[in-house]
């Protein structure tokens, strides 16, 4: 079909005609072949609005349910195409009286679409919507309320307030959560009426709603309404109430609660550790957003409760830095696992977070350096991020492997990759993180790269890296000096050429060919287009003049003449005049020599002053889990000031002193939060306890400390340990080791969990092995028998938490489906209570990994 001509009549306009072979809106063919399919979005129609009106007038007598829906779909399709079908408003209003929810939703969509442009017509439907908001069907009540609040007309406030209040007391959760969102729409429509209606207090009451989706909406609405004050008000009662119920929330709801934790200041150290222990299971989920939000919450709590230099607390109290390092140790395995298993977009963002955490706590991620190796299938942006991170993971043990890996990347077809690889190698040597001999070894590699004439960008980057390296370690000039005159001939990039010229000027006394190499550049001065190269040439020639005056005198004069006449750069012109006048008018040449040849270019710290971004990194940590980390800049650099959300920590004062004991926070169990993300439905063995009511000294303005929160049984006091079970992500055992360890533990000491019910059996051993490996439980051997699957599994704790081995024999019966576990432990905690606790958590972890099978 050819594209319609420009003079085609507008559908529905004067002179439009129905093309041969198309169907009318009612689906009746108009002279075309029988059976031709019609499209809702066909643009060439004759009198379609009038024909639709005729069809809508017979809507009440039409008995075919599907035909009614088709008529509505055509109205919505024309509305979507931009055709004005507001003339059908009356007929659409008559069609609203139906029990078909699909039709009701389309009619409500029609009403909301034309409400702002046709306010007079919108008012016609007010009574109908108010009537539907009192329907017996909760879905109809919710849909009507949503449509009523979406009309967004100032004159509708008086009709909206009462249905909103009524909806917040509705017996159905869908209606209540729709009402909460309706309050937000009312706030944006008329803030004065909103304040008069005192909906703010009602929203705080909704935080105690039995349905978690209603509470989630209340949190979001309060945060938006109170954005000018830094978000919803927080106190100990509100925070502990939400944390006690976090296992009830959906994935989206958990994220909403986690976003509140960084804004909350714990009452004391004990409460801070309790909150971290409570949120620890979230780190085992497969949801990257929840993991990163938990990391931010942990870092915020560590910053709030850690000891600072000015504090007069006990010497045994952990410092802020100590707590943050513990946090990084705990989150390392989950974060690395997500990086390795996520989508490309997700991996890129997580790499940015990992980079930021590596800067915060150097050395923690070093043993996972292989996870940051570049893969052939990685997209370009992920490769670049990994190469930048590799340089930060170098230590005396890992540096040889990392430098060798970077050396393979140097000649990559991607020019930026090659540049980054050279810079990363230079950074390892510059910071002296590779151990003894690493600086000289890397310097020799960079010298070899100077001779890569076929890859000009690598030669240039190598020269730049060598210039910085010599400033940091002047002793390696003997390794670097020999190829410099030769490299100056074929390095074409301005940065690389300027770096070689700098080295020739600084250390030309020990390089025989230095003056003659510079002379060739001076003679070709007119062909130099980059001001940086000219400036470097001027400075190098003046310095070399004091070291080799007979050879440099004449060529320096020629250079002064050209530079002082050069008007392309004011800075270059002024520098040339300064050097010339200093040499000409100085009464003592030694004075000029001391000024020009001073070693101010030598680097004494671990980084150059212009590379010191300590302040920026501290600011980015305050905005962790935002776009600031991805963009690596503060929010004010890419968000207008009036749109920046304030971040205010609350409460300013706690009713409890720092030394006071706090009521324990109820732990919902290791696996209940994980289930929200994994889709499993594992009921806890006992009812989840709730937190004790607020202390008598605390003023409970919102009523969270009433009798509805039952007194919980005391839990063990929180310790400074952030968790009690964390498995290594890279552990392996040989078959012989496995047998020896298994045989070393008597069968009487094994823990046996028999016949756990399963909703369905796995299709193969691979499905089970893949699910378990995600949680760092690995398979030694597996097999399928006629009636069962058998697995021999193992895992090892992180060294910081005991380093013990867990040996597991799992038997999955096919019919009826059930799971039997036999667990033996080697090493680790000697305390039987702690060992039992870890075994219980391991069992919950396995159940979480097999959530799709375990019922």
């Amino acid at each position: 079909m050819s594209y319609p001509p420009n003079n085609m009549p507008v559908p529905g306009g004067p002179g439009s005609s129905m093309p041969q072979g198309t169907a009318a809106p009612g689906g009746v063919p108009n002279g075309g072949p029988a059976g031709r399919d019609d499209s809702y979005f066909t643009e060439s129609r004759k009198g379609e609005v009038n024909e639709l009106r005729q069809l809508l007038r017979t809507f009440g007598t039409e008995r075919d349910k599907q035909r009614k829906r088709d008529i509505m779909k055509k109205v919505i399709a024309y509305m979507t195409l931009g055709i004005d079908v507001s003339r059908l408003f009356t007929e659409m209003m008559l069609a609203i009286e139906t029990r078909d929810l699909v039709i009701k939703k389309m009619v409500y969509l029609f009403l909301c679409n034309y409400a702002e442009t046709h306010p007079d017509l919108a008012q016609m439907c007010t009574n109908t919507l108010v009537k539907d908001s009192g329907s017996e069907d909760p879905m109809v009540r919710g849909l009507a309320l949503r449509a009523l609040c979406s009309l967004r007309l100032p004159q509708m406030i008086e009709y909206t307030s009462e249905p909103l209040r009524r909806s917040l007391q509705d017996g159905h959760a869908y209606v209540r959560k729709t009402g909460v969102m309706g309050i937000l729409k009312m706030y944006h429509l008329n803030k004065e009426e909103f304040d008069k209606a005192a909906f703010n207090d009602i929203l705080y009451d909704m935080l105690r709603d039995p349905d978690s989706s209603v509470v989630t909406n209340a949190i979001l609405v309060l945060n938006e309404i109170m954005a000018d004050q830094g978000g919803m008000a927080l106190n100990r009662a509100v925070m502990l109430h939400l944390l006690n119920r976090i296992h009830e929330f959906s994935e989206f709801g958990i994220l909403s609660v986690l976003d509140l934790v960084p804004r909350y200041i714990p009452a004391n150290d004990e409460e801070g550790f309790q909150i971290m222990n409570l949120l620890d299971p979230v780190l085992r989920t497969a949801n990257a957003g929840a993991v990163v939000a938990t990391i931010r919450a942990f870092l915020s709590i560590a910053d709030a409760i850690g000891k600072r230099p000015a504090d007069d607390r006990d010497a045994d109290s952990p410092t802020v830095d100590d707590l943050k390092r513990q946090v990084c140790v705990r989150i390392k395995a989950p974060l690395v696992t997500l990086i390795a298993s996520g989508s490309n977009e997700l991996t890129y963002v997580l790499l940015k977070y990992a980079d930021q955490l590596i800067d915060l706590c150097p050395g923690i991620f070093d043993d996972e350096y292989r996870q940051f190796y570049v893969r052939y299938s990685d997209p370009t942006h992920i490769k670049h991020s990994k190469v930048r991170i590799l340089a930060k993971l170098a230590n005396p043990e890992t540096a040889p492997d990392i430098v060798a890996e970077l050396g393979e990347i140097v000649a990559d077809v991607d020019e930026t990759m090659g540049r980054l690889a050279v810079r990363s190698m230079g950074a390892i040597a510059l910071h002296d993180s590779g151990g003894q001999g690493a600086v000289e070894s890397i310097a020799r590699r960079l010298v070899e790269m100077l001779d890569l004439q076929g890859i000009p960008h690598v030669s240039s980057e190598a020269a730049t890296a060598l210039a910085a390296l010599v400033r940091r370690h002047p002793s390696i000039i003997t390794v670097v000096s020999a190829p410099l005159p030769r490299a100056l001939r074929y390095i074409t990039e301005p940065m690389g050429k300027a770096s070689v010229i700098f080295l020739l000027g600084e250390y030309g006394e020990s390089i025989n060919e230095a003056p003659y190499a510079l002379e060739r550049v001076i003679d070709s001065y007119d062909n130099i287009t980059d001001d940086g190269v000219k400036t470097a040439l001027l400075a190098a020639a003046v310095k070399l003049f004091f070291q080799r005056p007979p050879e440099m005198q004449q060529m320096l004069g020629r250079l002064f003449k050209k530079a002082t006449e050069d008007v392309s750069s004011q800075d270059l012109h002024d520098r040339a005049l300064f050097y010339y006048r200093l040499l000409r008018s100085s009464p003592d040449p030694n004075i000029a020599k001391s000024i020009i040849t001073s070693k101010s270019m030598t680097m004494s710290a671990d980084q150059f002053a212009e590379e010191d971004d300590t302040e920026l990194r501290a600011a980015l940590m305050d905005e962790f889990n935002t776009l600031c980390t991805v963009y690596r800049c503060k929010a004010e650099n890419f968000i207008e000031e009036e749109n920046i959300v304030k971040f205010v920590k609350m409460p300013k004062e706690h009713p409890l002193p720092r030394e006071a004991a706090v009521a324990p926070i109820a732990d919902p169990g290791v696996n209940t939060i994980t289930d929200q993300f994994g889709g499993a439905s594992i009921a806890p063995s006992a009812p989840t306890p709730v937190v004790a009511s607020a202390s008598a000294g605390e003023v409970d303005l919102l009523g969270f400390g009433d009798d509805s929160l039952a007194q919980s049984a005391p839990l063990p006091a929180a310790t400074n340990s952030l968790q009690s079970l964390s498995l290594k992500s890279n552990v392996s055992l040989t078959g012989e080791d496995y047998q020896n360890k298994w045989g070393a533990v008597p069968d009487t000491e094994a823990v046996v969990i028999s016949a756990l019910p399963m909703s369905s059996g796995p299709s193969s051993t691979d499905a089970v092995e893949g699910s378990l490996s995600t949680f760092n439980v690995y398979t030694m051997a597996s097999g399928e028998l006629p009636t069962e699957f058998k697995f021999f599994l193992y895992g090892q704790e992180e060294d910081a938490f005991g380093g013990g081995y867990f040996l597991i024999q799992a038997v999955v019966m096919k019919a009826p489906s059930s799971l039997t576990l036999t667990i033996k432990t080697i090493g680790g905690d000697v305390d039987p209570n702690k060992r039992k606790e870890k075994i219980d958590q391991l069992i919950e972890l396995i159940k979480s990994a097999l959530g799709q099978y375990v019922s």
Side-chain angles (χ1 to χ4, degrees), residues 602-647:
T602 302
M603 176 185 174
S604 57
D606 289 339
Q607 60 184 355
F608 297 107
E610 62 270 20
E611 295 177 350
D612 185 7
D613 58 352
T614 305
E615 183 179 347
L616 174 61
R617 285 193 277 116
L620 292 180
M621 286 308 304
D622 292 338
E623 301 185 74
F624 193 80
N625 194 23
T626 66
L627 280 176
C628 297
T629 300
V630 179
Y631 293 158
R632 196 167 176 75
C633 61
K634 299 178 183 179
E636 55 262 29
N637 293 337
F638 60 93
I639 301 178
E640 295 181 358
E641 185 177 357
E642 60 269 19
N643 294 327
I644 296 178
V645 178
K646 293 182 180 179
F647 184 83

Side-chain angles (χ1 to χ4, degrees), residues 280 282-288 291-292 295 327-341 350 365 368 723 726-727 729 774 776 798:
D280 184 80
V282 182
L283 293 175
R284 303 190 187 111
T285 68
N287 183 281
V291 172
V292 176
I295 293 173
V327 169
C328 288
V329 169
R330 173 63 190 96
I331 60 89
K332 177 180 65 175
L335 187 60
V336 170
T337 301
L338 289 171
I339 290 174
S341 59
L350 292 174
F365 286 79
E368 299 286 353
Q723 68 144 23
S726 177
L727 300 182
S729 59
T774 304
N776 300 331
E798 293 282 359

